Amino acid sequence: RCSLLKVAAAGAAAVAARAGVVDVPGKRLTLQDDPVFQPKKYQKNVEEDPECNRDDRWGPFRRELIAAEYDRRIDLAYEKTMEWGLENATLVDEQAKVCIMG
């Protein structure tokens, strides 16, 4: 007969094993030990440069987009999407690491 606590502990162990978290005897694991909660590679960019001004493309584009007439903004965004090859999903993923709000 299993108790609810044993079932929960077994479930947590299974999730940890799938996530690559290794249980070290004598060490209490925290959320920081779980890879899901590790800082992302792009997190520093988001925290230190949320406007993406360090990047040669995104800072100037953002300023140009904001300055553009309202009716022109969609066309401008589409033009840059094509110009920068952002119809390629892999490239979009890479650019999202540089400028998440791009």
Side-chain angles (χ1 to χ4, degrees), residues 28-46:
R28 184 174 178 192
L29 297 177
T30 66
L31 289 177
Q32 292 176 341
D33 297 309
D34 188 331
V36 171
F37 293 97
Q38 295 296 315
K40 307 296 183 249
K41 293 177 183 177
Y42 55 82
Q43 183 172 341
K44 188 175 180 181
N45 287 350
V46 172

Side-chain angles (χ1 to χ4, degrees), residues 30-87:
T30 66
L31 289 177
Q32 292 176 341
D33 297 309
D34 188 331
V36 171
F37 293 97
Q38 295 296 315
K40 307 296 183 249
K41 293 177 183 177
Y42 55 82
Q43 183 172 341
K44 188 175 180 181
N45 287 350
V46 172
E47 293 171 352
E48 294 179 2
D49 186 27
E51 294 178 338
C52 307
N53 289 324
R54 281 188 249 170
D55 187 75
D56 294 339
R57 288 183 178 178
W58 292 110
F61 170 67
R62 182 182 48 78
R63 288 188 291 279
E64 182 181 359
L65 188 64
I66 290 170
E69 292 293 323
Y70 181 78
D71 293 342
R72 170 87 176 101
R73 291 179 183 170
I74 292 174
D75 293 332
L76 181 59
Y78 180 77
E79 288 169 14
K80 293 298 181 183
T81 297
M82 294 297 110
E83 181 181 327
W84 296 343
L86 297 178
E87 69 276 8

Side-chain angles (χ1 to χ4, degrees), residues 1-29:
R1 196 168 155 190
C2 287
S3 72
L4 182 59
L5 187 56
K6 287 181 182 177
V7 171
V15 169
R18 273 186 270 136
V21 177
V22 178
D23 188 18
V24 178
K27 181 181 182 220
R28 184 174 178 192
L29 297 177

Side-chain angles (χ1 to χ4, degrees), residues 86-98:
L86 297 178
E87 69 276 8
N88 179 328
T90 303
L91 192 54
V92 170
D93 287 344
E94 291 304 312
Q95 284 298 307
K97 293 172 189 170
V98 173

